[in-house]
Amino acid sequence: MDVPALTLNDDHTIPQLGFGVFQVPPEETAGVVRQALEVGYRHIDTAQMYGNEEGVGQALRESGLERSEIFLTSKLNNSNHLPDDAHRSMAETLEKLGTDHVDLFLIHWPLPTRYDGDFVSTWQALVEMREQGLARSVGVSNFEPEHLERLGRESDLVPAVNQVEVHPFFGNSPVRQATAAAGALLEAWSPIAKGQVAEDPTIGDIAQRLGRTPAQVTLRWHLQLGHVVFPKSTHVERMRENAQVFDFTLTDRDMERISELDRGAGGRLGPDPATFDRV
Ligand SMILES: NC(=O)c1ccc[n+]([C@@H]2O[C@H](COP(=O)([O-])OP(=O)(O)OC[C@H]3O[C@@H](n4cnc5c(N)ncnc54)[C@H](OP(=O)(O)O)[C@@H]3O)[C@@H](O)[C@H]2O)c1
C-alpha cells in the first residue's frame, strides 16, 4: 500500500490514510488490527476512551513490524484533563500499547463546560509529554475555532492536528478554516459518515461513473481536500476497499457536487464539542 505522507507543523510526517478503531470491541481489537496491518495500514488511531489500546499493542507485537514502521495515535480521556492525571494516564497508555512513545497524542474533547473551562493547562501537559519524548507530536480533537484561538493566545505551541467530524453531510467549514489558519493539519473523523455515504444518490452516481464504491469516492474527496482519514471497518474486504483510493482522481465538478451535500449542523452525527461534557 503506497500512502502519501503529509508533513506536520513540527516537521514530523503522518500517513494520510490510517485505520480507526473506535467501537471495535476490546476483545476483537488485536485480531482486527492484525488484519488491517496485513492489508497494509501503517497508521492506527485509538484513544484511551475506546478501551482497546491493549489490543492495538498486542497486534503491533504480533505483526512482527518494527515500531518505526507504524504511526500510532492515542487521545487523552475526558476524565484525565488535570495535568497530573494526564501524565499518569499517558504512562498507562504507553504500557497498554507496549511502546515507549506514541507518534501523536491528542486532547480528545475540549470540555469547555468542565474543569473551569481550562483546557490550556491540559494542553501544557501534552507539550511536556512532547518535550519528554513520550509523544512525537501533540494535537487536539474536536476543538472549535474559539478553542483554537485561545490556545493561540495562551500557548507557544500550535497543535499539530485538529481531529474533527467531517464528511460530505457535515462539511464543518468554520472549523476546517480555523484549523488551517492556526497552521494545524485537519484529521476527519467519521470520514464516510459511519457508512451512510453508501446510500447517497449523488455519491452513488459518481461512484458508478468511475467504477468505484461510494466509500472510495468519499475517501478520495477527503484526500483531495488534504485531510488525514482513518476509516474503521471490522471486515477485511472493506479494509481493502477503503485503502484502494490512490489510483483515481475526482474532477473539480465531482468535488463540488460532494461538497454541496453539506447539511450544516443538521448533518452532524456526533456530539457538539461546544456542549459535550461526558467524562
Ligand atoms: N476524535 C473523535 O472524537 C472521534 C470520533 C469518532 C471517530 N473517531 C475516529 O475516526 C475513526 C473513523 O470514524 P468512525 O468509525 O466513527 O466512522 P467511519 O469510519 O466513517 O465509518 C465506520 C462505519 O462504516 C462502516 N464501513 C466501513 N467501511 C465501509 C465501506 N467501504 N462501505 C460501507 N460501510 C463501511 C463500518 O462498518 P463495519 O465495521 O461493519 O465494516 C462502520 O460501521 C474512528 O474509528 C476513530 O478512530 C474519532
Side-chain angles (χ1 to χ4, degrees), residues 70-263:
I70 308 288
F71 189 99
L72 199 49
T73 299
S74 193
K75 316 184 192 86
L76 184 73
N77 198 26
N78 290 346
S79 57
N80 295 331
H81 274 216
L82 295 178
D84 285 352
D85 293 338
H87 285 293
R88 179 192 42 74
S89 73
M90 171 55 124
E92 285 171 11
T93 277
L94 295 179
E95 183 164 349
K96 286 178 179 164
L97 290 169
T99 181
D100 62 358
H101 72 280
V102 289
D103 295 280
L104 181 61
F105 197 60
L106 310 179
I107 300 181
H108 205 150
W109 291 89
L111 305 177
T113 62
R114 294 240 175 218
Y115 302 103
D116 296 326
D118 174 21
F119 46 75
V120 180
S121 58
T122 311
W123 175 243
Q124 197 50 43
L126 267 68
V127 172
E128 288 164 16
M129 293 170 194
R130 178 175 176 270
E131 289 164 356
Q132 293 161 357
L134 305 177
R136 292 264 160 89
S137 302
V138 289
V140 296
S141 177
N142 299 301
F143 271 44
E144 293 287 299
E146 65 269 26
H147 307 137
L148 292 172
E149 283 156 20
R150 181 163 168 206
L151 281 191
R153 287 192 305 274
E154 299 185 30
S155 163
D156 292 334
L157 188 75
V158 176
V161 307
N162 187 19
Q163 182 180 127
V164 294
E165 180 177 351
V166 180
H167 45 73
F169 312 129
F170 184 60
N172 212 353
S173 296
V175 171
R176 281 163 52 199
Q177 282 164 19
T179 300
L185 201 59
L186 193 125
E187 296 192 325
W189 61 253
S190 294
I192 55 171
K194 296 193 175 288
Q196 292 179 24
V197 297
E199 314 303 323
D200 184 81
T202 301
I203 297 174
D205 183 48
I206 296 169
Q208 199 174 22
R209 194 190 86 236
L210 295 172
R212 297 286 168 161
T213 69
Q216 288 172 326
V217 163
T218 306
L219 292 167
R220 187 68 215 171
W221 173 79
H222 283 287
L223 297 174
Q224 289 183 213
L225 288 172
H227 302 162
V228 175
V229 283
F230 23 81
K232 169 261 179 190
S233 179
T234 51
H235 297 93
V236 70
E237 66 282 4
R238 283 176 167 175
M239 295 176 195
R240 288 200 194 94
E241 174 187 334
N242 295 345
Q244 282 163 12
V245 288
F246 297 104
D247 56 349
F248 72 105
T249 316
L250 299 177
T251 64
D252 290 349
R253 182 65 197 129
D254 293 334
M255 292 293 290
E256 275 167 20
R257 287 179 71 198
I258 299 170
S259 298
E260 283 163 7
L261 300 173
D262 189 0
R263 298 174 193 153

Side-chain angles (χ1 to χ4, degrees), residues 22-73:
F22 178 44
Q23 293 174 330
V24 178
E27 64 281 7
E28 291 172 29
T29 302
V32 167
V33 173
R34 226 173 20 242
Q35 277 185 320
L37 295 171
E38 277 164 22
V39 167
Y41 290 91
R42 292 291 180 268
H43 165 182
I44 308 293
D45 184 273
T46 183
Q48 295 177 348
M49 195 187 287
Y50 304 166
N52 57 19
E53 289 172 313
E54 274 167 334
V56 173
Q58 186 185 334
L60 295 185
R61 272 194 308 283
E62 291 172 355
S63 71
L65 291 162
E66 296 291 332
R67 173 68 187 86
S68 58
E69 294 177 79
I70 308 288
F71 189 99
L72 199 49
T73 299

